[in-house]
Amino acid sequence: MLPEVEKLLTLQERDQRIRAFELELNAIPDERRFKERQIADSATRLEAAKTRMKGIEVERNKLQVEAQAKRDSIAKYKTQQFQTRKNEEFAALGHEIATAEKAIVAIEDRELELMEEAEGLRPVVAEAERAHTEERAKLEAQIAELGRKAETIQARVAELIASRPALAEGLDEDLLDQYTRLFKSKNGSALVELDHDVCTGCHMKVTTQTSVAVKGDKALVHCPNCGRILHLPA
Ligand SMILES: [Zn+2]
């Protein structure tokens, strides 16, 4: 194998490790946002359950005030009945009393419904509270873990990058540029094996001429189709 190909292969192996770490690193912010969204969603579910609970409380208080007003009216009508001497007025007040009593029954029915709803909702709120606390703790731990993972990867990448110049030493500047461009444009594979006359980068069969040139091992050979540098299996 040509010495520069051998050198480039070592360099490529290093660069592939750096690239893999960087891809992992780039995925972390999304993973983090995803977990933060999950925390927010679980908080929203809890809030929805709590809001309904508060709504029930507010409506019950309002109903109690209404019922009390009706009772006060009934008491007033009864006093008026006691004071009047007119049969017609007595009957009219009696009618008012009956209407108010009916209204109280309706209010009490509604109150009962609300109490039952609150009863059913209480375990739901408790469960949402428990789930949210648990979920948040779990996700926050995972987010912290992601932060540590990012730091570890960054340190590892810095090490790998620092040791890179030693691997590139002695390589021709133009060749290095060519390699760098290929590595970038071909998603981390600048040099690929020629396997049974097939370029393992683009999977195209090469011409006999190209195949002979690779096997001759005298000069750098590029795949005529994808431009990658071809080498024989190690
Ligand atoms: Zn190719």
Side-chain angles (χ1 to χ4, degrees), residues 56-200:
I56 291 173
E57 210 47 55
V58 168
E59 195 181 339
R60 277 185 66 193
N61 288 338
K62 202 177 122 227
L63 289 173
Q64 274 162 14
V65 170
E66 274 174 35
Q68 190 51 50
K70 296 283 176 202
R71 276 186 216 102
D72 292 347
S73 297
I74 290 171
K76 196 182 76 193
Y77 297 145
K78 281 187 173 163
T79 309
Q80 285 169 355
Q81 263 186 335
F82 185 72
Q83 286 163 348
T84 189
R85 293 186 177 178
K86 294 176 193 155
N87 283 342
E88 209 174 292
E89 199 182 335
F90 189 91
L93 287 163
H95 180 71
E96 291 294 341
I97 290 168
T99 305
E101 277 170 346
K102 242 168 131 179
I104 290 174
V105 169
I107 289 170
E108 283 171 350
D109 283 351
R110 178 66 189 142
E111 269 195 270
L112 209 63
E113 270 175 34
L114 289 171
M115 276 165 71
E116 275 168 15
E117 192 186 341
E119 207 59 50
L121 210 56
R122 212 158 281 131
V124 175
V125 172
E127 172 53 24
E129 191 111 41
R130 190 202 61 74
H132 175 63
T133 306
E134 192 185 292
E135 184 93 334
R136 195 178 53 194
K138 191 184 83 188
L139 289 164
E140 279 173 353
Q142 288 173 354
I143 288 171
E145 181 57 39
L146 280 177
R148 284 191 292 275
K149 183 180 159 190
E151 277 174 26
T152 307
I153 294 174
Q154 272 157 356
R156 196 73 192 97
V157 166
E159 271 171 37
L160 291 171
I161 288 174
S163 65
R164 199 181 170 277
L167 298 177
E169 214 178 85
L171 279 168
D172 176 70
E173 198 81 25
D174 287 344
L175 179 58
L176 206 53
D177 277 355
Q178 212 180 90
Y179 159 80
T180 307
R181 274 198 304 276
L182 275 172
F183 188 87
K184 269 193 194 138
S185 66
K186 305 296 174 195
N187 293 325
S189 74
L191 290 90
V192 291
E193 260 180 34
L194 184 67
D195 184 24
H196 296 94
D197 293 349
V198 172
C199 163
T200 54

Side-chain angles (χ1 to χ4, degrees), residues 192 198-204 206 222-228 230:
V192 291
V198 172
C199 163
T200 54
C202 66
H203 308 290
M204 291 287 282
V206 300
H222 292 266
C223 168
N225 181 54
C226 69
R228 290 181 177 91
L230 295 168

Side-chain angles (χ1 to χ4, degrees), residues 22-58:
E22 279 171 348
L23 289 176
E24 227 181 311
L25 211 50
N26 291 343
I28 288 178
D30 273 350
E31 283 180 58
R32 194 192 184 94
R33 269 191 291 278
F34 179 68
K35 289 182 193 302
E36 281 165 353
R37 170 71 57 84
Q38 283 179 297
I39 293 178
D41 286 351
S42 118
T44 304
R45 282 193 295 275
L46 174 59
E47 235 13 80
K50 278 182 169 175
T51 301
R52 180 62 200 130
M53 203 62 155
K54 272 186 211 131
I56 291 173
E57 210 47 55
V58 168

